[in-house]
Amino acid sequence: MFWILLAVILAAGEIMTLGFFLAPFAAGALLGAVAELAGAPAVVTLLVFLVSSGLLFGLVRPIARRHLHTPMQLRTGTAALVGKTAMVTERIDATGGAVKLEGEIWTARPYLDDDEVIEAGSRVHVVEIRGATALVSENA
């Protein structure tokens, strides 16, 4: 019962922190519980917990952290367009406009200031994509 309670506490802590620090230890505690249910002595269950937690922490955590910090060039879909430069093809104001972005025409609006007007021919930076609309800014 101790190992299951420890696993639940560690998993709850992981959910609160989202750093993938406590998850390997929660999994190790579950493996310790399995060892104890299989009839292993207390020393063996402690060793199962320590070894499995150490292996998971050392092997799985670096992989999980790399996936959390995906570099910009590996992003796909609309996320890959954020930060790109676009050419204004139709005047952009609060009611709309258009930009040529990566060879495609996108509807566009100013990112923050609805009073901002960006004339055709200007270069803009894509700050965000909302649906099929690029939110752009002249200042990067």
Side-chain angles (χ1 to χ4, degrees), residues 2 15 22 37 47-48 54 59 62 66 91 96 126 128 135 139:
F2 167 77
I15 290 170
L22 297 175
L37 287 172
L47 283 173
V48 166
L59 298 175
R66 270 195 305 270
R91 180 177 178 227
V126 178
E128 184 179 339
L135 301 180
N139 304 323

Side-chain angles (χ1 to χ4, degrees), residues 50-97:
L50 292 174
V51 171
S52 62
S53 295
L55 286 173
L56 288 170
F57 187 79
L59 298 175
V60 176
R61 185 170 190 257
I63 295 168
R65 289 183 54 83
R66 270 195 305 270
H67 285 285
L68 288 175
H69 304 291
T70 305
M72 187 73 127
Q73 65 270 19
L74 295 180
R75 294 187 180 162
T76 60
T78 58
L81 300 174
V82 174
K84 299 279 184 178
T85 301
M87 177 66 72
V88 178
T89 58
E90 291 178 27
R91 180 177 178 227
I92 300 172
D93 58 25
T95 61

